[in-house]
Amino acid sequence: MWDEPYLETCCRSTLHRLLLCEDAGRPSGLRDQPCLERLERMGLCALRSDGRFAITDAGLGRHRQEIGPTD
């Protein structure tokens, strides 16, 4: 049974962009800021001390589940 919170299309796209950013992280203040904040609340990304968002292990797992392989 599916018990994960639903990810809107915009949030799935943001999750994929986080993956593509790799170690650089995704900066704050972009148009997808609301999605980044939502993903952070869900534990799928984290706001680093440098003000950039990075995908978490949980985010990598969710990406594999909903979008595709991460490697």
Side-chain angles (χ1 to χ4, degrees):
M1 175 186 243
W2 185 258
D3 61 356
E4 295 289 331
Y6 178 73
L7 281 183
E8 297 288 339
T9 302
C10 56
C11 292
R12 284 194 304 274
S13 296
T14 299
L15 185 63
H16 186 63
R17 283 191 293 275
L18 278 167
L19 176 77
L20 296 175
C21 287
E22 297 181 336
D23 293 337
R26 187 126 175 97
S28 299
L30 299 176
R31 293 184 70 165
D32 60 358
Q33 182 76 26
C35 293
L36 288 166
E37 292 172 357
R38 181 169 189 240
L39 294 173
E40 182 185 24
R41 286 191 302 273
M42 296 173 73
L44 303 178
C45 74
L47 181 59
R48 301 186 321 207
S49 61
D50 64 359
R52 297 175 83 86
F53 289 87
I55 196 165
T56 61
D57 288 339
L60 289 171
R62 189 69 180 260
H63 187 284
R64 277 191 297 274
Q65 186 179 36
E66 290 202 27
I67 301 167
T70 57
D71 40 306

